[in-house]
Amino acid sequence: MKIHSMNIILHDMKFYSYHGVLPQENAVGAEYKVSLDIETDFSEAATTDKLEGTINYAEIHDAVKEEMNIPAKLLEHLSYRISKRLFNDFPAIKSIEISIFKENPPMGADCKSVGIKVKYFQ
């Protein structure tokens, strides 16, 4: 059996954080959703059923949570910072696709969320 790619996915992690350009965004905060699609080789875990052969997604969540607690003006910067941290903490990561959405953005329009999506390669 051949494998084309292996990905660990964390979908719609929810955080209450204080990101934004406007002072009120930093004071009041907002709800955010972060999703990750991480390419890595977990073939060892697939055959042995041992956590040591993959990346622990609870540890990924903890790293993202720590980065979400550090205010940023732009989601673009936040996605870069999170991805840089994950590449550093988990050397087995080959690529990261990350999306970050801010719920109910303060932009004077009826909009459920705004966000960014980017794919980084190691």
Side-chain angles (χ1 to χ4, degrees):
M1 175 169 44
K2 294 182 180 181
I3 297 172
H4 180 264
S5 65
M6 297 178 173
N7 296 60
I8 294 172
I9 298 170
L10 287 83
H11 185 69
D12 283 348
M13 294 178 283
K14 295 179 183 180
F15 302 97
Y16 197 89
S17 299
Y18 299 85
H19 307 296
V21 175
L22 303 175
Q24 72 187 45
E25 294 176 288
N26 297 310
V28 176
E31 292 182 357
Y32 293 82
K33 288 186 181 176
V34 179
S35 293
L36 298 171
D37 186 334
I38 297 172
E39 184 181 1
T40 188
D41 180 354
F42 55 75
S43 55
E44 181 182 337
T47 58
T48 66
D49 199 26
K50 294 185 180 179
L51 183 59
E52 296 79 25
T54 188
I55 298 171
N56 184 329
Y57 53 80
E59 292 177 3
I60 292 171
H61 177 271
D62 290 345
V64 172
K65 182 178 179 181
E66 287 179 17
E67 292 299 322
M68 289 298 292
N69 286 331
I70 302 169
K73 292 179 184 174
L74 302 175
L75 298 180
E76 293 85 345
H77 174 72
L78 184 58
S79 72
Y80 172 79
R81 201 176 67 214
I82 290 169
S83 297
K84 186 176 178 183
R85 163 84 182 266
L86 294 176
F87 279 127
N88 184 65
D89 289 1
F90 307 98
I93 293 176
K94 296 177 182 178
S95 69
I96 300 169
E97 183 171 285
I98 181 171
S99 63
I100 304 173
F101 286 90
K102 180 181 230 172
E103 302 290 312
N104 302 309
M107 54 187 246
D110 185 13
C111 182
K112 181 180 177 184
S113 64
V114 295
I116 58 101
K117 179 175 152 180
V118 62
K119 187 166 187 176
Y120 296 100
F121 295 91
Q122 183 66 312

